Amino acid sequence: MKKAYIFLAEGFEDVEALGTVDVLRRGGVDVELVSITEDPLVLSSHGVTFGVDTTLEMGIDIDKDDIMVFPGGLKGAKNLAACTPLVEEMKAHNEEGGPIAAICAAPGLVLGQLDSLKGVKFTCYDGFENVPVSKGGEFVKKPAVTSGNIITGRGPGYAIDFGLELLKFIKGETVAEEVRSGMFIPCE
């Protein structure tokens, strides 16, 4: 089974991280919250301190089938993009076809660190589409988009949609629909 690693940096958007964790765990996905610093406590963009399961410094063993998830929040996404070991891990994971997910500012700032996004359809918070487009990506205004091994979401108001898109990618349409229904989320 695929495991989801959700990377947290100071300034991450609360609902984008925790909404995603909630949906994935409801669907039975093994999720680990990972701090990109040695500190096991990470301050969100709204001043809430969250504990993580592990830190990047402690080392994680990401398998090709595992998914790397990057929440937004402007400061958080900038901090993720500035973390060289994380970016190098993401690039290597992408090169071997491993799934990568990002929401809000993270598609532009973090996924924008990839060498190419040629042919990848993506969404993000308005104003962060320029770098992915310059690398061949196609911006679409949808709540969440899957394009090959890359899953993206627009922003905080679409965190649950993003989580459900990830769940569908990991566990399939049936499980995602069961979770959606159980959370009383209306169909589009």
Side-chain angles (χ1 to χ4, degrees):
M1 174 169 50
K2 296 177 185 176
K3 187 173 194 173
Y5 291 95
I6 299 181
F7 296 91
L8 300 183
E10 184 178 332
F12 73 91
E13 174 59 49
D14 309 53
V15 72
E16 293 169 2
L18 297 184
T20 303
V21 170
D22 182 80
V23 169
L24 293 178
R25 287 191 175 159
R26 285 174 191 257
V29 176
D30 186 6
V31 178
E32 275 199 40
L33 293 172
V34 182
S35 170
I36 66 164
T37 70
E38 69 280 351
D39 194 340
L41 300 175
V42 184
L43 186 64
S44 77
S45 62
H46 298 287
V48 180
T49 302
F50 290 91
V52 298
D53 301 303
T54 190
T55 67
L56 197 58
E57 185 178 83
M58 292 171 66
I60 52 175
D61 186 22
I62 299 175
D63 186 81
K64 180 182 181 255
D65 292 329
D66 295 335
I67 187 163
M68 298 178 75
V69 183
F70 306 104
L74 181 57
K75 183 177 181 182
K78 283 182 177 179
N79 286 332
L80 291 172
C83 180
T84 302
L86 179 63
V87 169
E88 292 305 315
E89 180 70 35
M90 175 189 66
K91 286 180 176 181
H93 192 60
N94 183 63
E95 285 175 17
E96 63 178 16
I100 299 170
I103 184 170
C104 194
L109 297 175
V110 181
L111 297 186
Q113 302 292 315
L114 294 172
D115 295 330
S116 174
L117 290 165
K118 185 174 181 175
V120 173
K121 291 183 180 183
F122 74 97
T123 193
C124 64
Y125 197 87
D126 290 358
F128 288 90
E129 66 274 3
N130 293 340
V131 172
V133 167
S134 75
K135 294 189 174 191
E138 180 186 337
F139 178 60
V140 293
K141 286 190 174 190
K142 290 186 174 180
V145 175
T146 297
S147 184
N149 66 320
I150 296 179
I151 303 98
T152 52
R154 287 218 53 199
Y158 298 109
I160 301 301
D161 295 288
F162 178 66
L164 288 168
E165 191 76 11
L166 290 173
L167 187 57
K168 183 170 84 174
F169 182 87
I170 296 167
K171 291 273 199 147
E173 182 74 42
T174 301
V175 173
E177 176 56 28
E178 288 170 358
V179 170
R180 185 205 58 75
S181 178
M183 293 178 75
F184 295 116
I185 299 169
C187 293
E188 292 181 15

Coordinates of all heavy atoms in Angstrom, one line a residue, residues 9 32 133 139 169:
A9 N 6.5 22.9 6.7 CA 7.5 23.9 7.0 C 6.8 25.0 7.7 O 5.6 25.2 7.5 CB 8.1 24.4 5.7
E32 N 2.2 10.1 7.2 CA 3.2 10.6 8.1 C 3.4 12.1 7.9 O 3.7 12.5 6.8 CB 4.6 9.9 8.0 CG 4.7 8.6 8.7 CD 6.1 8.1 8.9 OE1 7.0 9.0 9.2 OE2 6.3 6.9 8.8
V133 N 3.9 26.9 -15.8 CA 3.6 27.1 -17.2 C 4.9 27.3 -18.0 O 5.0 26.8 -19.1 CB 2.6 28.3 -17.4 CG1 2.5 28.8 -18.9 CG2 1.2 28.0 -16.9
F139 N -2.1 25.2 -17.0 CA -2.9 25.6 -15.8 C -4.4 25.5 -16.1 O -4.9 25.9 -17.2 CB -2.6 27.1 -15.5 CG -3.4 27.6 -14.4 CD1 -3.3 27.1 -13.1 CD2 -4.2 28.7 -14.6 CE1 -4.1 27.6 -12.0 CE2 -4.9 29.3 -13.5 CZ -4.9 28.7 -12.3
F169 N -6.5 8.6 -6.1 CA -5.3 8.2 -6.7 C -4.7 7.0 -6.0 O -4.2 6.1 -6.6 CB -4.3 9.4 -6.8 CG -3.0 9.0 -7.4 CD1 -2.8 9.2 -8.8 CD2 -1.9 8.6 -6.7 CE1 -1.6 8.9 -9.4 CE2 -0.7 8.3 -7.3 CZ -0.5 8.5 -8.7

